Amino acid sequence: MDSKAYMIFVPFYGDNAYIANMKKCWEHFYTVISLERAENNLYLLLNTKTVVLNWIESWLTQEHKKCLIRYKLLGIKIIWVYHNRMPHSTVAEPEQIENARKNMDFIARISDVIIIHSQNSRKYLMELIHQRKKIFYIPHIDYENQYRWLTEKTRDSDGIFRFVFQGRIAPYKNIELLIQAFETLKLPNSQLHIAGKPISEEYGNKIAKLCKNNHVFLRLGFLSDCEVGEEIQKGDVVVLPYDLKSSMNSGAMIAAFSNRRTVIISNNAMAQDYREKDFLYVYEYLDEEDHCEQLKKIMQCAYYNGIIQNKEKGRKAYKFTRINNSEAAVVEHLKEVVMSL
């Protein structure tokens, strides 16, 4: 492969640490550039080998589609990272679902490579395409780069069991359900900590109004990488009660593991990959009502396992993640993708 070849990475910027970490992995093979830089420099565009597309399903326009077709005609290979079953913003809007489905059909057809971050997401992808040879499994990159210098603070031995949710505060993450489950359980000597940037001020206010219990602590707003790590490390268990209609992977789960914390997570595709592991809690549900019941049961189970046992689960999760989701592990898997282009 030409060492001078360029790769366009979309999006090139963003708050999500996944973007920076994956660009670093791809830089083992290409000079990674932004779409804007390539479009404004004919030399760079003509020397571009491939373009990587992340989370584009909900905003792909006809102009974007024409651009991708032009790239194909220039010999630029298209790599689509299949992150979600459906864009999270579309799950409640039938018209948006239909549009997103059409976009996903288009991207699946035009892509030369489709990357999945969980083996079990393959079955959902087969609803879009039947060309198995273009599907490549790449482990979800860990967050060691973000948290490796973070010194874990010694917690007070107060015996308080802390559940934590950390991540983007959005409807598909079922924060309301988590608050309801926690408050209904009334577990002695326990707390719930929720931290992250809300999808909108209105939604943030909605969540704030629900946090009346003096055992529920809320921190709304953008968090730096260090602050994210600090919030995760406040807890004994990270709780991720995602809606399965759109959710398929969980970077928040990998972030928790990178901070030596175990998780409670609904049975999305990535969780299914870990189903046989003993260092996390995976649960299933049938509908919204059942979701609350199943979430309460698994939270209760984690609580009664105690602080020490959950800490050990976190250590096991970290060890597994450092072996299987490190930059070195991801780069090793990417070699197969690069060889196929």
Side-chain angles (χ1 to χ4, degrees):
M1 188 202 73
D2 181 358
S3 61
K4 295 182 180 178
Y6 292 92
M7 164 183 277
I8 299 168
F9 194 91
V10 179
F12 193 78
Y13 303 104
D15 295 340
N16 193 332
Y18 170 92
I19 296 170
N21 291 346
M22 282 306 298
K23 285 194 297 185
K24 194 166 184 285
C25 291
W26 282 113
E27 282 166 359
H28 286 258
F29 309 101
Y30 302 102
T31 299
V32 181
I33 60 174
S34 68
L35 178 63
E36 293 75 16
R37 188 178 171 198
E39 286 290 318
N40 290 319
N41 188 316
L42 183 60
Y43 172 81
L44 293 182
L45 189 61
L46 293 177
N47 285 277
T48 293
K49 177 73 173 180
T50 182
V51 56
V52 176
L53 306 173
N54 297 276
W55 306 297
I56 64 166
E57 301 90 303
S58 59
W59 53 264
L60 195 68
T61 65
Q62 285 302 119
E63 288 304 310
H64 293 130
K65 291 177 181 179
K66 290 177 184 177
C67 180
L68 290 176
I69 292 169
R70 177 163 58 90
Y71 285 178
K72 291 282 282 189
L73 294 174
L74 288 172
I76 297 172
K77 304 295 183 180
I78 297 174
I79 299 174
W80 177 39
V81 186
Y82 182 50
H83 286 284
N84 303 308
R85 290 184 68 178
M86 293 293 291
H88 299 308
S89 60
T90 67
V91 293
E93 302 291 338
E95 187 176 326
Q96 290 185 21
I97 291 173
E98 183 179 354
N99 184 57
R101 174 63 66 175
K102 288 178 181 177
N103 285 341
M104 293 169 79
D105 286 341
F106 171 81
I107 302 163
R109 288 196 311 272
I110 202 171
S111 295
D112 298 283
V113 165
I114 301 176
I115 286 176
I116 55 175
H117 285 319
S118 50
Q119 294 284 11
N120 277 282
S121 60
R122 198 180 300 267
K123 62 192 173 202
Y124 304 121
L125 186 54
M126 297 313 293
E127 297 171 5
L128 298 172
I129 62 163
H130 299 288
Q131 297 169 273
R132 295 177 182 270
K133 65 180 182 180
K134 69 160 69 172
I135 304 172
F136 292 81
Y137 167 72
I138 305 295
H140 192 296
I141 186 70
D142 69 9
Y143 295 92
E144 184 72 6
N145 287 336
Q146 280 67 44
Y147 308 130
R148 61 202 234 175
W149 304 116
L150 186 63
T151 302
E152 185 167 351
K153 296 176 181 176
T154 303
R155 275 181 41 185
D156 296 332
S157 55
D158 52 15
I160 294 175
F161 191 97
R162 293 172 174 87
F163 296 99
V164 166
F165 171 89
Q166 193 290 313
R168 191 73 184 272
I169 308 294
Y172 79 93
K173 295 192 177 181
N174 286 318
I175 313 300
E176 300 97 322
L177 191 73
L178 173 58
I179 295 168
Q180 179 187 345
F182 175 78
E183 292 188 341
T184 305
L185 281 170
K186 297 186 184 336
L187 298 169
N189 219 23
S190 66
Q191 295 177 353
L192 171 61
H193 293 252
I194 298 168
K197 183 179 179 180
I199 196 167
S200 68
E201 183 178 353
E202 180 184 6
Y203 189 67
N205 291 335
K206 179 182 178 181
I207 296 300
K209 288 177 182 177
L210 296 175
C211 298
K212 302 298 185 184
N213 189 317
N214 59 7
H215 298 293
V216 179
F217 298 84
L218 182 64
R219 180 181 182 182
L220 296 178
F222 171 77
L223 302 180
S224 68
D225 290 336
C226 284
E227 289 171 327
V228 168
E230 287 170 356
E231 289 297 326
I232 292 172
Q233 291 180 14
K234 284 179 182 177
D236 299 293
V237 177
V238 173
V239 191
L240 305 169
Y242 293 171
D243 188 321
L244 297 178
K245 290 191 289 290
S246 62
S247 174
M248 192 166 63
N249 298 308
S250 176
M253 181 176 81
I254 304 299
F257 292 165
S258 296
N259 279 283
R260 296 175 173 84
R261 291 299 183 270
T262 186
V263 301
I264 292 171
I265 186 167
S266 53
N267 193 36
N268 64 20
M270 183 175 282
Q272 290 168 36
D273 284 3
Y274 287 76
R275 199 64 195 257
E276 302 305 316
K277 305 301 179 186
D278 64 355
F279 52 71
L280 75 166
Y281 303 90
V282 181
Y283 69 96
E284 300 183 54
Y285 67 87
L286 299 174
D287 51 34
E288 187 172 342
E289 183 179 350
D290 186 52
H291 193 170
C292 190
E293 290 305 311
Q294 299 305 321
L295 179 57
K296 286 192 293 185
K297 285 179 183 177
I298 205 78
M299 288 174 72
Q300 198 167 36
C301 175
Y303 171 84
Y304 284 114
N305 276 342
I307 293 172
I308 293 173
Q309 187 172 332
N310 283 298
K311 192 168 187 176
E312 181 57 29
K313 284 179 179 288
R315 287 197 196 99
K316 285 184 179 180
Y318 175 78
K319 184 176 180 181
F320 181 89
T321 302
R322 285 306 297 141
I323 294 170
N324 295 281
N325 300 81
S326 65
E327 181 180 329
V330 171
V331 169
E332 190 61 33
H333 280 78
L334 287 178
K335 287 178 183 177
E336 188 179 356
V337 174
V338 173
M339 293 295 292
S340 75
L341 297 175

